[in-house]
């Protein structure tokens, strides 16, 4: 299913590049609405409902809220029986958009909430390290004991105290 999402996202991204538009906000808003009512995806995917009716449902639900390109994108997904892959399309599209804009999302998990200054310093260092603009997403996990873990660009940077203690334990056990 990820391949379907990747192909459709690439096609939409190509349209966005040609027109200079960005569709990530619209796609994320639609994804949130569909997540609230998963039966709507089932309805739009059902071969028991005529395609013209499914396309009309999409038009009625979204024509006032999204650009014509995104509306058409939804109808194409529906027509080809790929509405179930919509979330994959959104994820892949957003990744393409971020890569094109040299943006990178980093998930930062800390043992305790970070101060504003710590967040700014960490974000600056991650941007310097990656050479890209970093958009951090913060979470707290007290089981880390101390430090942070950063998930960024498919890599894990584990600077947690729990990780350091585990490494120390392993080093002592091998002696």
């Amino acid at each position: 299913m990820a391949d379907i999402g990747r192909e459709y996202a690439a096609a939409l991204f190509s349209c966005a590049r040609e027109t200079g538009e960005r569709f990530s906000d619209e796609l994320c808003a639609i994804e949130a609405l569909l997540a609230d009512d998963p039966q709507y995806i089932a309805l739009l995917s059902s071969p028991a409902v005529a395609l013209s009716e499914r396309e009309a449902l999409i038009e009625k639900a979204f024509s006032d809220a999204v650009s014509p390109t995104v509306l058409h994108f939804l109808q194409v997904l529906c027509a080809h029986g790929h509405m179930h892959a919509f979330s994959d399309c959104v994820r892949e599209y957003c990744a393409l958009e971020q890569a094109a804009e040299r943006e990178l999302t980093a998930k930062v998990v800390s043992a305790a909430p970070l101060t504003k200054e710590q967040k700014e310093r960490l974000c600056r260092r991650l941007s310097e390290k990656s050479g890209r603009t970093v958009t951090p997403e913060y979470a707290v996990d007290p089981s880390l004991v101390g430090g942070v873990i950063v998930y960024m660009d498919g890599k894990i940077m584990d600077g947690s105290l729990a990780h350091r203690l585990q490494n120390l334990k392993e080093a002592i056990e091998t002696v």
Side-chain angles (χ1 to χ4, degrees):
M1 196 169 0
D3 289 340
I4 292 169
R6 194 172 303 118
E7 288 177 29
Y8 280 84
L12 182 60
F13 183 71
S14 177
C15 289
R17 296 308 265 180
E18 287 176 17
T19 62
E21 296 176 89
R22 289 180 55 134
F23 301 121
S24 55
D25 291 343
E26 292 177 40
L27 294 171
C28 289
I30 293 168
E31 184 178 33
L33 288 172
L34 293 177
D36 287 344
D37 190 3
Q39 291 180 338
Y40 197 65
I41 291 273
L43 175 68
L44 295 175
S45 301
S46 175
V49 179
L51 177 59
S52 59
E53 288 180 50
R54 290 182 280 152
E55 289 177 334
L57 287 171
I58 290 170
E59 179 136 5
K60 184 177 180 184
F62 300 111
S63 65
D64 293 337
V66 300
S67 65
T69 304
V70 171
L71 183 66
H72 184 68
F73 177 74
L74 289 170
Q75 290 173 327
V76 168
L77 276 178
C78 183
H80 290 102
H82 296 304
M83 281 304 295
H84 61 278
F86 181 71
S87 287
D88 290 333
C89 294
V90 173
R91 184 175 11 84
E92 294 290 339
Y93 176 87
C94 290
L96 289 169
E97 201 173 77
Q98 282 185 331
E101 294 177 0
R102 304 285 298 153
E103 289 180 9
L104 186 62
T105 300
K107 182 175 180 187
V108 178
V109 182
S110 59
L114 299 175
T115 65
K116 183 179 177 184
E117 293 79 24
Q118 289 171 321
K119 288 178 179 180
E120 288 172 356
R121 189 171 59 241
L122 179 62
C123 190
R124 191 172 41 254
R125 291 193 66 203
L126 291 173
S127 292
E128 290 168 2
K129 183 175 178 71
S130 66
R132 295 161 74 179
T133 301
V134 174
T135 303
E137 296 175 355
Y138 297 100
V140 174
D141 180 0
S143 71
L144 297 180
V145 184
V148 298
I149 299 175
V150 178
Y151 301 90
M152 182 175 78
D153 203 20
K155 298 177 184 126
I156 301 172
M157 294 173 262
D158 194 339
S160 67
L161 185 55
H163 179 71
R164 291 179 189 167
L165 290 172
Q166 180 63 33
N167 286 345
L168 182 60
K169 179 182 172 191
E170 291 172 5
I172 291 171
E173 289 175 350
T174 61
V175 174

